[in-house]
Amino acid sequence: MNQANFPNLFSPIALGNLTLRNRIVSTGHETHLNEGGRIGDRMIAYHEARARGGAGLIMTEVALVHSSAVFVADPIRVDTDDCIPGYTRLAEVIHSHGTGLIAQLFHPGREMLASEDGTTPVSYSASPTPNERFHVMPRPMTPEMVAEVIAAHGDAAARMAKAGLDGVEIVASHGYLPAQFLNPQVNQREDEYGGSLDNRTRLIRDIAADIRAKTGPDFVIGLRLSGNELSHEGMDQSEMLEACARIAADEVLDYFSVVAGSSATLAGSVHIAPPMFEEVGYTAPLGQAIRERTGITTIVTGRINQPQDAERIVASGQADLCGMTRAMICDPEMGEKARAGRIDDIRACIGCNQACIGHFHDGYPISCIQNPVSGRELQYGTFPPAPAKRRIMVIGGGPGGMKAAAVAAARGHEVALFERDPQLGGQARLAQMLPHRAEFGGIITNLTREMELAGVDIRKGAEVDADSIADFAPNAVIVATGATPRWPDFEGRDEAHVVDAWQVLQGQVNVGKSVVVADWRADWIGIGIAELLAQNGHSVKLAVNGYMPGQTIQMYVRDASIGRLHGLGVEMLPYSRLFGADEDSVYLQHIMSNEAVICEDVDTLVLCQGHTPSNAVEDMVREMGLEHHLVGDCIAPRTAEEAVLEGLRAGIAV
């Protein structure tokens, strides 16, 4: 397979006077790689990796056009000329790879996530209509402020033109300020910016006109919007189509960039970075409707992770270009691999949201659980070749061991991986068995391919002992033996019907009709086991040692999962510590009051109580006096993200 198999995806296209080499777009997304609100070496290296890897167009993340637009700590700002040098450097680098560069211009309105100093800022919107998700009551913008914000967009665009960028994108998606003016349920104004659809589209049209007046006819102007806000107070598809038609009639825009959802509600926010349970390319019909209604070039974004899917969407006329942002976070070389026909070599995104938008929400730089180089390009962008070829033994074929083996072999070592089970993957094999988590198994496929390309000798069904280690005679051992389910001591453990999550997933135990899931970690496991059992007809109580189910996982994944549990009738018991059990009851303790919480008529207690490191091999190689490196859960039970990152580091260290 080669470029001829993607004739539409790899055909050039014009956005105004900008010609792009292909239809692959890295859309704007928060990276937390800026330096004091400016673009520096880390962000340039991050975007350059995607330009070098084959992206046709890159959008930089949202940049604040006005002092009232601060919505997170340390945002990128384009409200003064201080921003120009960083954007100039970025444009020079991106253009050197033949890739277009567009900057997102942003004002969140009432969608305030955080602040610069910990105090709650005053937010502004079309009207004093409250935000449900962040519980913000905005202040209505005065006419003078509206004019100021319009002019601020044009001024920022002029700075981007001076910096050498190809264009700007007005961010009216996900319920941000321009969308707040569009929405009649938010916009209650009685001046020329409220009331009729013409008036409610006026802010966007005035912004676009001001940008055009301050930049010129060759500068690209795009508009990002949600084709359907998918929220109880959001604009639906028919309303958005009418708005797009009015905006397009001014003939100022060069393209629409279409997504779904809204930041204003928990349900709508899931679509900002849709997790793996959403269908591949599910937003494409929204883009198609806008494209057909307006005749304007259209980008569509939403779970388009593979070039095959992008080719289908472009070929069918649903969009002209495809936003493939997380696909390129996971594999920056996706475009070049597809162009060269190396489809099997693409590291496909699995939509887990853990280290990309999950890092953003936690205030950390962007990365990827499968590709820890993302966001760390300056540190790990190139692997140093091995100064001398060594024999490396990797023990354990979970994600951490697989990554370590692939990196060590790619550097030039002779590497053999030993996995005692007949299949690779470790706990990832179990994770993919949870409801709506099947795609997680892609991490096994991707890491297996990385090992094959690097020339790793993969030995499955291979139990190791001191003799087999001595026979292999390694120069160094990487231990990635993982962990096993933790069974804490509690009263009645040996008398009650108690099983663990692994046994349930592997079908090793019978589970009664009435179940209590005791979830200590508050992660994917407890919430997934509860959903699985409820789907299978069990009556389920989910007792969480935390303030909500899924407390430790990315909010879009968690919130959607809690919604499904509610729909299945699962009773959720937060603040619950496992205390004991007997033949028909489970005894919990409220972790704040220490009062008893008793669950009666229980047939089975399912333990989701974390894991215990498997250290026998570590002890063995230490006693043998061998150089060894530890990876993943055998150090301390955590997640696949830490295991893969530590595998990368171990592969570099040997």
Side-chain angles (χ1 to χ4, degrees), residues 153-198:
H153 279 82
D155 293 343
R159 294 183 184 104
M160 297 300 97
K162 185 175 181 180
L165 275 72
D166 300 300
V168 294
E169 181 174 272
I170 305 162
V171 180
S173 61
H174 299 126
Y176 300 124
L177 181 66
Q180 292 159 33
F181 274 77
L182 278 182
N183 188 342
Q185 297 188 74
V186 178
N187 184 348
Q188 303 296 315
R189 300 176 74 92
E190 296 180 354
D191 62 7
E192 66 269 33
Y193 290 98
S196 68
L197 182 59
D198 275 339

Side-chain angles (χ1 to χ4, degrees), residues 200 559 641:
R200 286 184 283 112
D559 294 342
E641 178 183 0

Side-chain angles (χ1 to χ4, degrees), residues 276 348-352 369-370 399 402 424-434 436-448:
M276 65 178 74
C349 168
I350 58 176
C352 70
I369 71 167
Q370 297 191 77
M402 297 167 79
L424 297 169
Q427 291 184 53
R429 298 206 314 271
L430 299 173
Q432 67 183 339
M433 299 169 70
L434 292 169
H436 306 284
R437 297 285 288 175
E439 204 165 337
F440 199 87
I443 194 172
I444 305 172
T445 303
N446 293 331
L447 287 168
T448 299

Side-chain angles (χ1 to χ4, degrees), residues 20-348:
L20 304 175
R21 56 179 168 169
N22 61 48
R23 315 298 181 93
I24 298 171
V25 182
S26 175
T27 61
H29 57 287
E30 293 281 356
T31 65
H32 265 309
L33 294 174
N34 69 79
E35 300 166 16
R38 304 286 176 247
I39 291 175
D41 292 344
R42 291 194 304 168
M43 188 177 292
I44 291 172
Y46 174 83
H47 286 303
E48 182 179 16
R50 280 119 195 105
R52 185 191 303 113
L57 176 64
I58 288 174
M59 278 95 163
T60 58
E61 63 201 71
V62 294
L64 310 190
V65 299
H66 190 264
S67 60
S68 63
V70 175
F71 78 117
V72 292
D74 192 30
I76 295 179
R77 305 185 67 142
V78 289
D79 54 347
T80 72
D81 289 352
D82 292 345
C83 68
I84 294 175
Y87 277 98
T88 300
R89 287 181 57 212
L90 178 64
E92 290 170 352
V93 170
I94 299 306
H95 288 155
S96 72
H97 295 283
T99 299
L101 182 64
I102 288 175
Q104 286 189 326
L105 304 183
F106 184 66
H107 196 301
R110 64 181 187 169
E111 298 304 305
M112 289 289 183
L113 179 64
S115 71
E116 287 189 291
D117 64 358
T119 62
T120 303
V122 176
S123 67
Y124 296 87
S125 187
S127 303
T129 311
N131 160 291
E132 178 182 275
R133 181 180 173 208
F134 299 124
H135 309 284
V136 169
M137 177 62 79
R139 179 178 174 84
M141 295 172 66
T142 63
E144 293 80 9
M145 187 178 186
V146 172
E148 194 174 302
V149 168
I150 291 168
H153 279 82
D155 293 343
R159 294 183 184 104
M160 297 300 97
K162 185 175 181 180
L165 275 72
D166 300 300
V168 294
E169 181 174 272
I170 305 162
V171 180
S173 61
H174 299 126
Y176 300 124
L177 181 66
Q180 292 159 33
F181 274 77
L182 278 182
N183 188 342
Q185 297 188 74
V186 178
N187 184 348
Q188 303 296 315
R189 300 176 74 92
E190 296 180 354
D191 62 7
E192 66 269 33
Y193 290 98
S196 68
L197 182 59
D198 275 339
N199 283 355
R200 286 184 283 112
T201 59
R202 192 181 306 278
L203 179 74
I204 292 174
R205 290 157 47 213
D206 285 357
I207 288 172
D210 195 65
I211 292 172
R212 181 63 73 205
K214 292 175 178 175
T215 58
D218 294 339
F219 197 66
V220 176
I221 304 175
L223 177 67
R224 192 180 212 206
L225 51 78
S226 296
N228 188 333
E229 292 189 335
L230 298 174
S231 297
H232 71 284
E233 292 183 346
M235 291 184 69
D236 63 22
Q237 185 178 10
S238 61
E239 294 174 307
M240 197 60 76
L241 281 173
E242 288 298 324
C244 288
R246 304 293 176 93
I247 295 166
D250 287 350
E251 298 184 349
V252 176
L253 293 181
D254 294 297
Y255 72 86
F256 285 111
S257 179
V258 182
V259 291
S262 171
S263 173
T265 66
L266 290 178
S269 68
V270 170
H271 302 279
I272 294 174
M276 65 178 74
F277 52 75
E278 295 291 352
E279 291 294 324
V280 169
Y282 75 108
T283 58
L286 300 175
Q288 180 178 14
I290 290 173
R291 183 175 184 261
E292 292 177 350
R293 181 65 180 272
T294 67
I296 291 180
T297 300
T298 300
I299 304 167
V300 69
T301 303
R303 290 279 285 138
I304 307 171
N305 296 339
Q306 292 274 32
Q308 299 93 317
D309 300 315
E311 173 68 21
R312 173 179 51 80
I313 289 168
V314 174
S316 65
Q318 292 180 296
D320 298 290
L321 303 97
C322 289
M324 305 184 73
T325 306
R326 283 179 293 174
M328 283 183 280
I329 297 171
C330 189
D331 193 341
E333 298 177 1
M334 181 207 68
E336 280 300 298
K337 289 178 180 178
R339 187 184 62 80
R342 297 168 52 206
I343 306 306
D344 292 340
D345 298 349
I346 293 173
R347 184 190 302 109

Side-chain angles (χ1 to χ4, degrees), residues 524-549:
W524 299 270
I525 301 174
I527 210 169
I529 289 290
E531 183 174 359
L532 175 66
L533 293 173
Q535 282 182 347
N536 291 339
H538 299 270
S539 175
V540 181
K541 291 182 173 66
L542 174 59
V544 183
N545 195 321
Y547 49 78
M548 70 173 76

